[in-house]
Amino acid sequence: MSQNETLRSLLEAVANGKVTPDTAFDSLKDLTYESVGEFAKIDHHRQLRTGFPEVIWGPGKTPDQIAQIIEVMRLRNPVVMATRIEPAVYAALESKVSGLRYYQSARICAIAPPTIEPQFAGEIGILSAGTADLAVAEEAAVTAELSGFRVQRLWDVGVAGIHRLLSNRHLIESASVLIVVAGMEGALPSVVAGLASCPVIAVPTSIGYGASFGGLAPLLTMLNSCAAGVGVVNIDNGFGAAVLAGQILRTAEKLRLASAAS
């Protein structure tokens, strides 16, 4: 049965009272995707299922492919985002896609309104251990902001100069979720988690000398954190950290609304 036939059958079942609107809504969450040429299938209903729309992974795609995917997605989404876009790729995209914005530090390009008001209560605090970690930290920050979350940045507060972190404890105390980005030995998330009452998401980066093994050393440090309440994402995965932080805040909002309704 084609997608059109499936949709018509479902709508007829609702009209005849055989399927409730809520059941139909749940079915539609998994129904629609759209082909782009022979190289991509856009999952338009991902936001219905997960709360976040599909995001374009830049590496491995040509500028033409990225541009075609953006043009299809922008028809249904107020925000369209592509990650890991290097400056040369953006230069090629700029002439193909109107209204495209580039966040160079984050290596993200996006179709988005000039301002996006936070849609959820709470604040995501993002800390970086060193300036060299900023690309990953900014990827997390821009992803969170484009997804409708309030973000507070605190850069270059690694453990080699712990006073820089301690003099900004107010950010740690005010945050609802913390994302902590660090390379080298990756000790910063454990220190932050020992000061914080909220969840801490640790992001190891591939920054460091030879024995850091491209981020494996900070990854293992974070997995072995002495402080409790630390979750760890993959090496250099600022995007994944932002999505996880957003899911935590969205779940808190869902629980608050459910409690208010009961």
Side-chain angles (χ1 to χ4, degrees), residues 72-136:
V72 169
M73 293 181 68
R74 76 187 304 175
L75 298 175
R76 299 205 188 191
N77 300 280
V79 175
V80 180
M81 185 169 70
T83 64
R84 301 299 169 95
I85 302 296
E86 298 298 336
V89 175
Y90 172 69
L93 289 171
E94 192 176 15
S95 62
K96 301 175 185 294
V97 182
S98 63
L100 194 63
R101 298 167 60 188
Y102 188 46
Y103 304 83
Q104 185 166 342
S105 296
R107 295 174 295 172
I108 286 172
C109 65
I111 301 289
T115 58
I116 299 177
E117 293 297 323
Q119 301 170 27
F120 300 92
E123 181 178 273
I124 300 174
I126 305 180
L127 289 70
S128 78
T131 305
D133 302 309
L134 280 186
V136 176

Side-chain angles (χ1 to χ4, degrees), residues 147-211:
S147 299
F149 297 96
R150 185 178 291 104
V151 170
Q152 181 73 281
R153 294 165 169 82
L154 181 59
W155 299 157
D156 197 22
V157 289
V159 297
I162 197 69
H163 56 291
R164 298 172 298 177
L165 174 68
L166 298 178
S167 65
N168 287 279
R169 284 192 63 177
H170 60 282
L171 186 147
I172 296 173
E173 293 166 356
S174 65
S176 307
V177 184
L178 287 162
I179 296 173
V180 185
V181 182
M184 296 291 188
E185 86 282 29
L188 184 60
S190 188
V191 174
V192 171
L195 301 171
S197 60
C198 65
V200 173
I201 302 169
V203 187
T205 72
S206 52
I207 300 301
Y209 294 103

Side-chain angles (χ1 to χ4, degrees), residues 1-3 5-14 18-33 43-46 48-49:
M1 184 180 291
S2 70
Q3 286 192 40
E5 291 170 334
T6 299
L7 180 58
R8 180 178 294 278
S9 176
L10 180 62
L11 292 175
E12 288 175 351
V14 174
K18 296 179 180 179
V19 175
T20 67
D22 285 342
T23 300
F25 180 79
D26 287 338
S27 298
L28 287 171
K29 287 181 180 180
D30 299 304
L31 181 62
T32 299
Y33 67 85
D43 181 3
H44 288 303
H45 281 189
R46 186 171 301 183
L48 283 176
R49 298 194 311 274

